Amino acid sequence: MVDNKDDAMDLVQELFISASSAYHTFEKKSTPLTWLQTILKNKIADFYRTQYRKPQTISITNFFDQSGGWTDDSVLNEWLLNGDSAEEQKALMSVLDKCIEYLPLQWKTTVKLYYLDEKRAHDICRELDIATTNLWKILQRSRMQLRKCLELNWFDKL
């Protein structure tokens, strides 16, 4: 539920500290596992609340070298097309369709609703019963997955 392994380990440690200090309040109306999971969910919610209230500043210099180029060139893999022929466009769209089909079901549904059906974010969130932030995260991860799929199955083969 958190991106960083160190943060996850810290949260689990905080869980056990909280649980040991509050064990006397455990009423045994649920299993110990359920009780611990509830404490952990609350710790994770607090973690994200804190991050939201105190956003970290990111230095732009972390992304560029001294000459002004990207420090991670994998972000900038160039996609060169050999032409804009109708056949090439059709073949590219076929590969893209296959890449979309390889996405996890929720991602595939979200991508199709947002990009292909051109539905508004608010309507998609209501239809799929997800939060707006979740929608944007799914779309971001989907785009990254589609980019990688296209690089492997189309652009690397040109």
Side-chain angles (χ1 to χ4, degrees), residues 9 12 55 64 72 74-75 78 84 104 121 133 137 144 156:
M9 291 171 58
V12 170
F64 299 100
D72 179 9
S74 69
V75 176
E78 288 194 34
D84 291 329
T133 53
K137 187 52 85 175
M144 297 301 290
D156 285 350

Side-chain angles (χ1 to χ4, degrees), residues 128-145:
L128 299 178
D129 194 29
I130 59 174
T132 307
T133 53
N134 193 10
L135 170 70
W136 298 127
K137 187 52 85 175
I138 290 169
L139 289 172
Q140 176 195 21
R141 290 177 179 164
S142 299
R143 286 190 300 268
M144 297 301 290
Q145 187 75 24

